[in-house]
Amino acid sequence: MKVSNTVWHWRWQDHLQTLKEVKGESEYFPYIEELREFDKLPRKLSDEEFDQDPRPLTKYTAMKRFLVDLVKKGKAVKLGDGAFRTVYRFKDNPDVVLKYARGGYGSSLKMNKDDFQLFSRYPTISPRVYAHDDEWAWVYMDYVEPAVEPFGDKYYNAVHDTFPKLTKYILKSNLRRVINTASADALMFIISIAAAKLARQERELGSPGSKMYAIENWVNDNGVEIIENGDRAFFELSKAMAEFNIAPDEMRESNLGYDKDGKLIIIDSSIFND
């Protein structure tokens, strides 16, 4: 893949300024040139290639070996493994991460594409995506600090800062008798049910007697006030939950993180349903 063929997406003018302030894209996105070189390799082996000794490397096997070697050399850190993707952070630029679609399977490629689509449509609640290759084998995006400790100050304050008007309204409601609103996860559960219910009004979310059912009834009774107290992030969340069919109980610490301003964003598109 030539430099000119790399797929770039910029949401705001300051994103363009980011590249102007660095010496070059290969320095801002560590090892991007090496990753491009793997495009010269076959995605799958023919029967003849499969029987060769030594067996040629496919694009995805070569990328995996390269990234694993970077970790062994201390040049990269593996932040985590999902069912289909591995996330790497680089010593040369810890502000960005690389999400690698292991094996080049449809689901893994789709998740990388979903990350970009979430950012392009709902930038308030998603990490900035910078570059990806043509088939979504990898994407470079902002590093996001994962949310931890539902009863800790940072996560709790992040919920308040992201949804300031709505959290104040929730804390004044009778939901305090049903949900432990001292927990950031509990507050996000209420907010995500409200977002999902307002976007998918015909769908029943919870069974009678459940906490979700109680919250759903509260949303039905207070829909106008919830909308009046909604912030931009809330409305983006509502649209995203409808478009990507996100379950309300997925909006918790394991799938959320903080941006540089301490606001909450969705960090894992594996929560999207096909």
Side-chain angles (χ1 to χ4, degrees):
M1 181 191 301
K2 297 180 181 179
V3 173
S4 59
N5 289 338
T6 300
V7 184
W8 296 92
H9 295 283
W10 303 100
R11 181 63 177 83
W12 294 304
Q13 187 63 35
D14 65 319
H15 296 187
L16 291 171
Q17 185 62 30
T18 300
L19 278 188
K20 294 178 183 178
E21 294 171 355
V22 297
K23 295 180 180 179
E25 63 180 32
S26 61
E27 293 187 24
Y28 193 73
F29 307 112
Y31 309 105
I32 191 171
E33 299 296 347
E34 289 85 343
L35 291 174
R36 286 171 173 150
E37 285 297 310
F38 293 124
D39 276 344
K40 299 175 181 178
L41 299 176
R43 183 175 177 181
K44 294 183 180 180
L45 298 180
S46 65
D47 291 341
E48 182 179 340
E49 290 171 327
F50 192 84
D51 292 334
Q52 290 180 13
D53 188 18
R55 184 178 298 166
L57 295 178
T58 64
K59 170 182 176 178
Y60 289 90
T61 300
M63 280 196 294
K64 180 179 180 180
R65 289 188 180 185
F66 174 73
L67 293 167
V68 168
D69 188 56
L70 289 178
V71 173
K72 290 180 179 179
K73 292 178 179 178
K75 296 180 179 180
V77 176
K78 185 172 76 171
L79 296 183
D81 273 325
F84 301 100
R85 299 185 296 174
T86 304
V87 183
Y88 296 92
R89 191 181 186 191
F90 302 105
K91 184 177 180 180
D92 289 346
N93 184 1
D95 292 332
V96 297
V97 297
L98 178 84
K99 289 190 176 182
Y100 160 64
R102 294 196 307 273
Y105 300 110
S107 295
S108 58
L109 300 174
K110 182 180 181 299
M111 288 178 187
N112 279 345
K113 186 176 181 179
D114 283 344
D115 278 332
F116 161 68
Q117 289 180 334
L118 182 69
F119 165 68
S120 64
R121 299 175 195 177
Y122 311 111
T124 303
I125 58 168
S126 58
R128 182 186 306 172
V129 176
Y130 293 99
H132 60 80
D133 86 336
D134 293 335
E135 61 182 24
W136 305 97
W138 48 262
V139 294
Y140 281 94
M141 55 200 306
D142 274 340
Y143 167 73
V144 176
E145 180 185 351
V148 295
E149 299 179 356
F151 289 93
D153 289 341
K154 188 168 186 178
Y155 183 13
Y156 192 77
N157 290 338
V159 177
H160 281 257
D161 292 342
T162 308
F163 310 98
K165 293 172 61 179
L166 188 55
T167 50
K168 290 180 181 178
Y169 180 71
I170 291 171
L171 292 175
K172 294 178 180 178
S173 73
N174 57 7
L175 281 177
R176 292 176 298 174
R177 303 172 184 174
V178 181
I179 303 292
N180 185 354
T181 52
S183 164
D185 267 352
L187 278 177
M188 279 307 304
F189 190 48
I190 297 170
I191 291 169
S192 61
I193 290 176
K197 184 62 181 175
L198 291 175
R200 306 187 296 238
Q201 296 184 12
E202 77 287 349
R203 184 181 304 185
E204 297 299 323
L205 301 177
S207 56
S210 67
K211 290 183 178 180
M212 185 179 287
Y213 186 77
I215 298 171
E216 188 175 355
N217 284 338
W218 175 79
V219 173
N220 289 336
D221 293 338
N222 299 275
V224 174
E225 290 80 5
I226 291 170
I227 292 173
E228 290 175 348
N229 287 279
D231 307 279
R232 177 177 176 179
F234 174 73
F235 293 117
E236 286 196 11
L237 176 63
S238 181
K239 293 177 182 178
M241 293 186 73
E243 179 175 353
F244 294 102
N245 200 25
I246 303 173
D249 55 0
E250 294 283 8
M251 292 291 101
R252 60 183 66 238
E253 61 174 324
S254 59
N255 296 320
L256 298 171
Y258 319 109
D259 65 11
K260 62 182 180 180
D261 298 320
K263 303 292 182 64
L264 282 181
I265 55 178
I266 301 171
I267 61 175
D268 190 358
S269 62
S270 65
I271 63 177
F272 301 168
N273 289 333
D274 293 335

